[in-house]
């Protein structure tokens, strides 16, 4: 049996930076540290950080002791910064630089009186945070059904120009289709492709590997947006594609008699999870 492992599998820069700096903060602080939401979409990483003393909270009200609080790589709505200041809660801002760049972009376009089309998942924390920096004239477009509604809202607004930005981990293929659809109906629209380059390369590599194998294993958190997209991309080329958080979820019997197995992991997947899957495949 052969196997191919994606070179881009595992932690992206933003996630790696957030995890490493969180561990450093744990060592420095005597008091517990809070984190707004899951630091990364991976249960194994979260479990490890909880064991080290990190307290995960959904909002600042759940931190009455006013412990230092981490802002994860996805970022937060700008109101959180104001509430933290009002409540004298010190923040450890680990927002990914790529996400911070989008916040700056949409703030500037809002000031220039652009209507903003924000392409991405409506429930994803990155998108929710970014939307708060767009002002009131913004529409989140997740699916094709959202396009006409967004365009109607744009036409009803006082804005004459529109700008398009996108969630850093969004599907490149879907982004291009949505953009083309908008451009057919809106003349004065500026497109800023804010998909992270690491996301683009990982999606492209997943597509390439999935065409060469007869079984594909995608490793990542169940609630990880970028992992879900890797699964969807792989599934189009390799029907026998599975998505797991750990090697324990893999049915070894299904690996037998396979000629080539592909392995790829999402941006929130730790190296140990990838190594465990590789070891399982090697010993099957």
């Amino acid at each position: 049996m052969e196997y191919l492992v994606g070179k881009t599998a595992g932690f992206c820069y933003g996630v790696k930076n957030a995890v490493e700096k969180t561990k450093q903060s744990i060592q420095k602080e005597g008091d517990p540290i809070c984190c707004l939401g899951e630091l990364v979409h991976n249960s194994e990483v979260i479990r490890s950080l909880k064991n080290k003393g990190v307290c995960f909270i959904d909002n600042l009200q759940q931190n009455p002791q006013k412990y230092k609080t981490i802002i994860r790589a996805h970022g937060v709505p700008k109101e959180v910064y104001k509430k933290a200041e009002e409540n004298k809660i010190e923040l450890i801002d680990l927002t990914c630089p790529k996400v911070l760049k989008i916040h700056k972009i949409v703030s500037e376009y809002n000031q220039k009186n652009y209507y903003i089309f924000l392409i991405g998942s409506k429930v994803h924390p990155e998108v929710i945070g970014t939307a708060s920096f767009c002002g009131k004239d913004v529409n989140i477009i997740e699916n094709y059904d959202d396009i006409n509604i967004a365009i109607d809202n744009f036409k009803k607004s006082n804005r004459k120009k529109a700008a398009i930005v996108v969630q850093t981990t969004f599907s490149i293929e879907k982004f291009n289709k949505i953009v083309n659809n908008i451009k057919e109906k809106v003349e004065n629209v500026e497109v800023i492709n804010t998909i992270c380059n690491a996301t683009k390369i990982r999606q492209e590599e997943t597509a390439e590997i999935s065409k060469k194998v007869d079984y594909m294993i995608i490793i990542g958190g169940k609630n990880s947006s970028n992992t879900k997209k890797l699964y969807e991309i792989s599934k189009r080329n390799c029907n026998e594609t599975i998505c797991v958080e750990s090697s324990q979820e893999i049915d070894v019997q299904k690996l037998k008699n396979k000629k080539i197995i592909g392995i790829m992991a999402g941006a929130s997947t730790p190296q140990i999870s990838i190594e465990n899957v590789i070891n399982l495949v090697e010993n099957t």
Side-chain angles (χ1 to χ4, degrees), residues 179-201:
V179 167
N180 290 335
N181 194 308
I182 293 173
K183 291 176 76 173
E184 288 174 359
K185 301 170 183 177
V186 179
E187 291 182 2
N188 201 359
V189 60
E190 189 166 340
V191 182
I192 308 100
N193 185 347
T194 49
I195 293 176
C196 175
N197 192 51
T199 295
K200 177 178 178 291
I201 295 172

Side-chain angles (χ1 to χ4, degrees), residues 169-186:
T169 56
F170 202 71
S171 164
I172 299 163
E173 181 182 359
K174 190 173 181 181
F175 167 70
N176 288 330
K177 287 181 179 178
I178 291 174
V179 167
N180 290 335
N181 194 308
I182 293 173
K183 291 176 76 173
E184 288 174 359
K185 301 170 183 177
V186 179

Side-chain angles (χ1 to χ4, degrees), residues 105-111 114-119 130 133-135 137-141 150 154 159 161-165:
I105 289 171
V106 297
S107 295
E108 291 175 350
Y109 273 86
N110 175 51
Q111 291 172 4
Y114 278 78
Y115 194 95
I116 298 170
F117 296 131
L118 172 55
I119 300 176
T130 298
F133 290 85
C134 296
D137 288 322
V138 56
N139 253 106
I140 299 173
I141 300 174
F154 164 57
R159 310 267 172 141
K161 302 174 289 186
I164 299 174
V165 295

Side-chain angles (χ1 to χ4, degrees), residues 29-36 53-57 59-60 62-71 84 87-92:
E29 302 299 327
D31 291 328
I33 291 177
C34 293
C35 181
L36 271 175
V54 178
C55 174
F56 292 91
I57 58 177
N59 53 67
L60 293 178
Q62 294 177 343
N63 182 13
Q65 295 84 6
K66 299 182 179 179
Y67 294 133
K68 287 185 179 180
T69 301
I70 291 168
I71 294 179
N87 290 281
K88 295 181 172 56
I89 295 175
E90 184 178 342
L91 297 177
I92 303 172

Side-chain angles (χ1 to χ4, degrees), residues 231-245:
Y231 172 79
E232 293 170 351
I233 290 169
S234 177
K235 190 73 174 177
R236 289 198 289 268
N237 300 316
C238 178
N239 190 50
E240 287 199 78
T241 296
I242 62 170
C243 186
V244 300
E245 283 198 10

Side-chain angles (χ1 to χ4, degrees), residues 135-268:
K136 62 183 180 63
D137 288 322
V138 56
N139 253 106
I140 299 173
I141 300 174
E142 181 172 358
N143 296 305
Y144 304 109
D145 294 340
D146 299 321
I147 296 174
N148 287 335
I149 296 172
I151 292 174
D152 286 342
N153 288 336
F154 164 57
K155 291 179 178 178
K156 291 175 184 175
S157 73
N158 294 322
R159 310 267 172 141
K160 304 301 180 183
K161 302 174 289 186
I164 299 174
V165 295
V166 58
Q167 179 183 335
T168 56
T169 56
F170 202 71
S171 164
I172 299 163
E173 181 182 359
K174 190 173 181 181
F175 167 70
N176 288 330
K177 287 181 179 178
I178 291 174
V179 167
N180 290 335
N181 194 308
I182 293 173
K183 291 176 76 173
E184 288 174 359
K185 301 170 183 177
V186 179
E187 291 182 2
N188 201 359
V189 60
E190 189 166 340
V191 182
I192 308 100
N193 185 347
T194 49
I195 293 176
C196 175
N197 192 51
T199 295
K200 177 178 178 291
I201 295 172
R202 187 181 287 107
Q203 290 181 6
E204 290 173 348
E205 188 180 21
T206 299
E208 290 176 8
I209 293 176
S210 60
K211 292 174 183 176
K212 301 175 182 177
V213 302
D214 51 359
Y215 198 84
M216 189 79 175
I217 302 171
I218 307 294
I219 315 164
K222 301 298 183 186
N223 57 342
S224 167
S225 174
N226 75 87
T227 298
K228 181 180 178 182
K229 288 174 180 63
L230 296 181
Y231 172 79
E232 293 170 351
I233 290 169
S234 177
K235 190 73 174 177
R236 289 198 289 268
N237 300 316
C238 178
N239 190 50
E240 287 199 78
T241 296
I242 62 170
C243 186
V244 300
E245 283 198 10
S246 71
S247 60
Q248 296 174 346
E249 299 175 39
I250 298 173
D251 184 348
V252 178
Q253 293 302 316
K254 292 185 177 180
L255 300 182
K256 294 179 178 179
N257 301 320
K258 302 298 181 187
K259 294 181 179 178
I260 308 178
I261 293 175
I263 300 171
M264 178 54 81
S268 300

